[in-house]
Amino acid sequence: MKTRVSRKSLLLFALAYGILPAVFYPAAVNAQTTHSRRSSTKIKLYFPPRKDWDYNVVAVTRRIPKTRRVADAELRELFKGVNDDERKRGLFSAYSLESMITGREECSRKIIKPLLAYYSGVSIRNGVATVNFHKPAGCYLETTPAMANAVMMPLDSTLKQFKSIKEVQYALDGEVITEWDA
């Protein structure tokens, strides 16, 4: 005896077992794609070009999971550095050990970690964003003027794109840096 399976039965079977073939029901796949776009946020980060990392930054666009703490999430993404496509475009990131330029013994590449390891958050009050780091981040912030620019210019530009941020300051273990040693 031959058994005939209806399309409705196949759909119920697929739903019951979590299988929904995109060939038969492409609308479901489009809904998933739309949902994932709604659950992410398009952000803009800034990186310097390799040949001119003293003074200029270039905007790049990425997507991150939707969050209420966008400034913090953007900085965490920035600290990951440039991706392969951005590197091919000639952009540079000063947040990895490979980019570290310092003559100080306590800032040796054998001792220090990438900047993200020292990041503890950002707070925004009265138009001022305070980027907080643990003390060893001073190796990135208090270094040669060109290297300090390569570290801070992308941070400043990324944060100042928000209308609520007019100024950026940096703190090590909660103490705002007011005098810079290079």
Side-chain angles (χ1 to χ4, degrees):
M1 184 172 176
K2 251 184 174 177
T3 307
R4 229 173 146 188
V5 179
S6 72
R7 191 170 181 168
K8 187 176 180 181
S9 297
L10 282 174
L11 177 60
L12 290 173
F13 175 81
L15 288 172
Y17 289 96
I19 306 166
L20 193 57
V23 174
F24 298 115
Y25 304 101
V29 173
N30 288 339
Q32 282 182 331
T33 304
T34 302
H35 175 71
S36 67
R37 290 225 176 225
R38 281 190 212 132
S39 62
S40 68
T41 301
K42 192 175 183 180
I43 62 166
K44 197 182 291 185
L45 305 174
Y46 293 85
F47 293 104
R50 179 161 288 291
K51 293 183 180 177
D52 188 19
W53 48 281
D54 287 335
Y55 305 104
N56 296 312
V57 288
V58 175
V60 300
T61 304
R62 294 190 189 166
R63 284 203 167 276
I64 59 169
K66 208 168 207 63
T67 178
R68 294 175 61 104
R69 299 185 45 84
V70 178
D72 180 69
E74 283 197 18
L75 291 184
R76 290 180 186 282
E77 189 69 21
L78 181 72
F79 292 139
K80 291 178 184 177
V82 293
N83 62 31
D84 289 338
D85 290 336
E86 294 156 354
R87 195 171 292 109
K88 287 176 188 172
R89 288 177 46 199
L91 300 179
F92 166 80
S93 171
Y95 307 123
S96 65
L97 298 178
E98 296 79 35
S99 63
M100 177 65 84
I101 299 173
T102 181
R104 298 176 8 210
E105 190 174 314
E106 72 274 14
C107 298
S108 158
R109 289 183 183 153
K110 294 176 186 171
I111 299 170
I112 206 76
K113 297 176 185 171
L115 188 57
L116 179 59
Y118 305 117
Y119 175 66
S120 60
V122 60
S123 58
I124 303 166
R125 286 190 186 84
N126 300 323
V128 178
T130 304
V131 184
N132 298 288
F133 294 99
H134 297 292
K135 203 71 152 177
C139 290
Y140 286 89
L141 300 170
E142 298 178 306
T143 183
T144 66
M147 186 65 191
N149 266 348
V151 170
M152 290 185 268
M153 289 287 288
L155 285 163
D156 289 355
S157 297
T158 298
L159 288 170
K160 286 181 178 179
Q161 70 183 305
F162 297 103
K163 291 177 184 173
S164 61
I165 299 175
K166 304 296 180 223
E167 181 185 337
V168 179
Q169 62 185 14
Y170 299 89
L172 297 174
D173 287 336
E175 188 176 321
V176 174
I177 302 170
T178 56
E179 292 185 30
W180 293 91
D181 296 331

